């Protein structure tokens, strides 16, 4: 076992609770967690998709059928996992979908569903594991966000709004639970071919926003982002689990720093350019 017992307080194996465990990055992570000897409570909308892991790993694998938007079901699933494994050491909120569409194109139902899964689903699981983690005074919470949780691109506004909400909640949470030796990390994947968008609900395109979709695809082509290997992310998430003092944010993939430097320098430049408005609002003499 590679997790330091002084970190998570375990001498034998750690217990993980992973949502979205049946496909994409989550499927790679589930297998890696079990391969190294840890316990896993794996949640998916269809528990039958997890049967191969249950067959292979036996009692160390708990398959849970779970819709993360159902708060009562989330509470029950976490309780089941805690009873089975005597606590949860690491929570990974990976369940989510990616709604592509301009802000005006997205229906009200689609917008609510996007927030329900990507933000509220993570909120409910986070809240469900916190009492046990606080009681044991240890734990890790890993929130799967996105580079789009830090930068907003056209035709992804509602998806990115769900990730920005997750970012704000998680940053505040990190400060709230640090006193209990609970660490919160936001994982920011950049570009991985997992079929996420293809498997997600999509807005009906409106010709009025063809330019927005073209700008999104052109931006992706010119960004310098290179698709990463989804299987390789398993090594990264295990390394995070073993780090004594994990970061609040970490990029999964390369070339994201250049995009963030451009984004943040542009924000600061804009705020400085319009600082005279800030002073006007304050009631200070206007200097332009």
């Amino acid at each position: 076992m590679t997790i330091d017992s002084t970190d998570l307080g375990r001498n034998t194996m750690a217990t993980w609770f992973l949502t979205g465990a049946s496909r994409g990055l989550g499927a790679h992570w589930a297998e890696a967690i079990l391969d190294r000897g840890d316990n896993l409570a794996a949640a998916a909308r269809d528990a039958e998709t997890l049967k191969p892991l249950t067959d292979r790993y036996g009692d160390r694998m708990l398959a849970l059928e779970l819709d993360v938007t159902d708060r009562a079901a989330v509470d029950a699933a976490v309780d089941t996992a805690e009873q089975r494994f005597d606590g949860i050491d690491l929570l990974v909120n990976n369940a989510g979908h990616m709604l592509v569409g301009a802000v005006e194109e997205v229906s009200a139902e689609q917008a609510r569903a996007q927030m329900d899964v990507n933000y509220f689903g993570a909120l409910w699981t986070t809240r469900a594991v916190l009492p046990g983690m606080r009681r044991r005074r240890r734990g890790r919470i890993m929130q799967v966000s996105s580079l789009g949780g830090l930068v907003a691109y056209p035709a992804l506004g509602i998806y990115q709004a769900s990730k920005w909400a997750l970012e704000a909640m998680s940053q505040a949470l990190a400060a709230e639970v640090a006193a209990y030796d609970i660490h919160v990390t936001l994982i920011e994947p950049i570009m991985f071919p997992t079929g996420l968008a293809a498997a997600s609900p999509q807005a009906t395109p409106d010709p009025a926003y063809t330019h927005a979709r073209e700008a999104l695809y052109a931006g992706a082509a010119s960004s310098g982002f290179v698709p990463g290997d989804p299987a390789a992310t398993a090594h990264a998430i295990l390394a995070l689990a073993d780090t004594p003092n994990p970061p609040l944010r970490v990029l999964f993939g390369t070339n994201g720093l250049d995009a963030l430097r451009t984004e943040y320098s542009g924000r600061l430049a804009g705020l400085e350019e319009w600082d005279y408005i800030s002073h006007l609002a304050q009631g200070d003499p206007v200097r332009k």
Side-chain angles (χ1 to χ4, degrees), residues 96-103 106 110-120 144-169 186-191 196-197 200-202 212-213 215-217 219-220 223 225 249 259-260 263-264 267:
H97 67 258
M98 182 180 185
L99 176 61
V100 177
V103 170
V106 171
Q110 288 175 325
R112 289 185 182 277
Q114 182 73 107
M115 295 299 294
D116 278 344
V117 174
N118 289 9
Y119 172 66
F120 284 107
V144 180
S145 181
S146 166
L147 182 66
L150 302 170
V151 182
Y153 297 101
L156 288 174
I158 303 304
Y159 166 71
Q160 291 165 341
S162 70
K163 296 300 188 181
W164 283 44
L166 180 64
E167 294 271 340
M169 180 271 284
L186 285 150
I187 296 171
E188 322 283 3
I190 297 177
M191 184 181 289
L196 176 62
S200 302
Q202 303 303 315
R213 286 183 290 279
L216 172 64
Y217 302 136
S223 65
F225 299 148
R249 289 182 174 86
L260 293 177
E263 172 72 13
Y264 292 141
R267 288 190 198 183

Side-chain angles (χ1 to χ4, degrees), residues 43-194:
R45 293 185 68 93
D46 181 2
E48 189 64 24
T49 60
L50 301 170
K51 188 176 184 298
L53 293 178
T54 306
D55 292 343
R56 194 185 321 166
Y57 296 100
D59 291 342
R60 288 194 293 108
M61 167 66 186
L62 172 63
L64 296 165
E65 188 155 311
L66 179 63
D67 176 356
V68 295
T69 67
D70 183 339
R71 185 179 178 185
V74 168
D75 289 343
V78 167
D79 183 64
T80 297
E82 289 182 330
Q83 293 295 324
R84 169 78 167 266
F85 296 120
D86 193 28
I88 294 168
D89 300 304
L90 303 101
L91 166 67
V92 183
N93 276 313
N94 176 61
H97 67 258
M98 182 180 185
L99 176 61
V100 177
V103 170
E104 190 180 355
E105 290 175 333
V106 171
S107 71
E109 293 76 15
Q110 288 175 325
R112 289 185 182 277
Q114 182 73 107
M115 295 299 294
D116 278 344
V117 174
N118 289 9
Y119 172 66
F120 284 107
L123 176 61
W124 302 148
T125 51
T126 297
R127 288 170 56 98
V129 303
L130 280 173
M133 288 184 175
R134 282 191 295 102
R135 187 168 57 251
R136 293 185 298 274
R137 301 189 74 86
R138 65 177 186 271
R140 300 286 179 90
I141 296 172
M142 301 183 193
Q143 314 281 37
V144 180
S145 181
S146 166
L147 182 66
L150 302 170
V151 182
Y153 297 101
L156 288 174
I158 303 304
Y159 166 71
Q160 291 165 341
S162 70
K163 296 300 188 181
W164 283 44
L166 180 64
E167 294 271 340
M169 180 271 284
S170 300
Q171 183 166 338
L173 175 69
E176 294 165 355
V177 299
Y180 299 100
D181 201 21
I182 299 171
H183 298 273
V184 179
T185 296
L186 285 150
I187 296 171
E188 322 283 3
I190 297 177
M191 184 181 289
F192 292 93
T194 62

